[in-house]
Amino acid sequence: MDTKQILQYARSWVLEAGEEIRTNINEPLQIDTKSTPDDLVTHMDQQTEKFFADKIRNQFPDHRIFSEEGMGDDISDLEGVVWIVDPIDGTMNFVHQQRNFAISIGVYEDGTGEIGLIYDVMNDVLYSAVKGEGAYKNGDRLPLLSTTEPLKRSIFSLNTTWLLEENRLVEASGIRELVKSLRSTRSYGSAALEFAFLAEGVLDGYVTMSLMPWDIAAGKVLVEEVGGVVTTGDNSPLSMMDRTSVCAARRNIHEETVENYINLKK
Ligand code: IPD
Ligand code: CA
Ligand code: CA
Ligand code: CA
């Protein structure tokens, strides 16, 4: 694939979609729920996804789209070029806070992440990465992550599913021990931003029970370009097709985290 050309289009569409969201940020939202009363979707999620689907199909008719809100293709493999799109990651933040949400686009070729773009819309900050060419924040290259700082001086992002006792995996995991071993934890409510913050070095790890491929696709490219490691919660490679647990962290603490603490094998 012509990575440079695809990146140029992807970048300009992300900025255009972000501008549209910012312009309408105070307009009334049509809010629906999906699987649960707290699983929100708005007309802006759908409109933004349609914007990308139309642009991609028009410019790259042989590419496929794997996306959250139903405007993409019916995907059962990652052959060829696939755009993995989350039009608004952090919809709950979008609805309740009008900030702390992102557009996330990963472009994969035959299952390999080639391009990752995460746009923090309200702050107008674009994180971008091309496989093998490093990661950038608004055009400034992000340095490689530390490979020496220990867990005890690390901040991890976690969400509150780890507190739910009915979750069998929580009881089996060493998550409480992990929290005690860390310097502290944070919870931002947008998986894409959590990956971007890890890539930027303001977080050292992100562990979560359950994400979809569009939550991860761009973030994985970014984090790997600064030397971080992204796996499932049982230290396996991510399939990028199914719902999965995730452990993402700086290289020197990833294995320790996943093997000694997360331990989702049990
Ligand atoms: C959600 C956010 C959230 C994560 C959820 C995702 P959405 O994405 O990334 O941080 O905990 O699992 O579903 O639905 O706002 O695009
Ligand atoms: Ca959603
Ligand atoms: Ca998402
Ligand atoms: Ca979403």
Side-chain angles (χ1 to χ4, degrees), residues 28-49:
L29 285 173
Q30 289 162 35
I31 306 168
D32 283 316
T33 60
K34 301 203 287 185
S35 59
T36 68
D38 301 325
D39 183 4
L40 308 178
V41 61
T42 75
H43 75 282
M44 279 311 272
D45 297 69
Q46 292 157 342
Q47 187 183 307
T48 305
E49 184 166 308

Side-chain angles (χ1 to χ4, degrees), residues 168-196:
R168 184 181 59 80
L169 291 171
V170 171
E171 290 312 308
S173 80
I175 193 72
R176 294 191 185 94
E177 295 311 309
L178 176 64
V179 170
K180 282 189 242 165
S181 304
L182 294 165
R183 179 159 269 175
S184 195
T185 64
R186 297 289 182 269
S187 192
Y188 294 97
S190 158
L193 287 179
E194 297 179 278
F195 284 112

Side-chain angles (χ1 to χ4, degrees), residues 143-193:
L144 292 178
L145 300 178
S146 163
T147 54
T148 53
E149 278 295 287
L151 213 52
K152 66 178 181 197
R153 286 199 293 270
S154 294
I155 301 178
F156 270 45
S157 175
L158 307 172
N159 53 35
T160 48
T161 28
W162 294 103
L163 297 176
L164 304 177
E165 280 168 6
E166 66 266 25
N167 195 327
R168 184 181 59 80
L169 291 171
V170 171
E171 290 312 308
S173 80
I175 193 72
R176 294 191 185 94
E177 295 311 309
L178 176 64
V179 170
K180 282 189 242 165
S181 304
L182 294 165
R183 179 159 269 175
S184 195
T185 64
R186 297 289 182 269
S187 192
Y188 294 97
S190 158
L193 287 179

Side-chain angles (χ1 to χ4, degrees), residues 3 35 42 46 53 59 76 91 95 125 153 159 182 219 228 244 247:
T3 308
S35 59
T42 75
Q46 292 157 342
Q59 190 64 40
S76 57
T91 298
V95 169
V125 172
R153 286 199 293 270
N159 53 35
L182 294 165
T244 179
C247 175

Side-chain angles (χ1 to χ4, degrees), residues 106 110 130 132 212 245 255 261:
D110 296 330
V130 170
M212 291 299 286
S245 58
E255 187 162 340
Y261 296 102

Side-chain angles (χ1 to χ4, degrees), residues 123-144:
N123 288 317
D124 187 22
V125 172
L126 179 63
Y127 297 88
S128 63
V130 170
K131 187 176 161 49
E133 293 179 21
Y136 290 80
K137 178 186 177 186
N138 275 350
D140 293 332
R141 186 152 184 168
L142 293 172
L144 292 178

